[in-house]
Amino acid sequence: MSEWRYAEAAPEPAGSVTVRRYSPYEVVRVNLFVGGDDYRGVARASYEAPDGRVAYDLLLWPCPWESPSGWYWFDESRMRRRDYTGAGSGS
């Protein structure tokens, strides 16, 4: 399989970058391919880099304790994003 499908790891956000943390009522799900395996990720946080790219801190399933969870650049050609922010918040 070609490497172009693999999600690109992003660096931890720098001190000057604003990080958006998600509550339990805000679910942003991202499906991605890392190291030869498909994963479903749930975003814990995100930030926008100065170049406009967005990185998500993803907790990856099926085995979050063994999966390569961490920061990944979002790329529409490699990932599928589902945004459920506000669902179940009672608002």
Side-chain angles (χ1 to χ4, degrees), residues 20-41:
R20 165 113 164 56
R21 306 238 179 251
Y22 297 101
S23 78
Y25 297 109
E26 300 174 297
V27 178
V28 177
R29 192 178 84 194
V30 178
N31 295 336
L32 66 160
F33 194 74
V34 179
D37 295 311
D38 285 310
Y39 291 97
R40 176 178 294 138

Side-chain angles (χ1 to χ4, degrees), residues 7-71:
E8 180 185 355
E12 295 275 334
S16 62
V17 173
T18 301
V19 176
R20 165 113 164 56
R21 306 238 179 251
Y22 297 101
S23 78
Y25 297 109
E26 300 174 297
V27 178
V28 177
R29 192 178 84 194
V30 178
N31 295 336
L32 66 160
F33 194 74
V34 179
D37 295 311
D38 285 310
Y39 291 97
R40 176 178 294 138
V42 175
R44 296 180 281 194
S46 65
Y47 71 88
E48 187 172 334
D51 65 2
R53 295 196 300 170
V54 176
Y56 286 97
D57 182 15
L58 299 174
L59 184 61
L60 302 180
W61 267 266
C63 301
W65 56 92
E66 295 176 5
S67 299
S69 297
W71 290 95

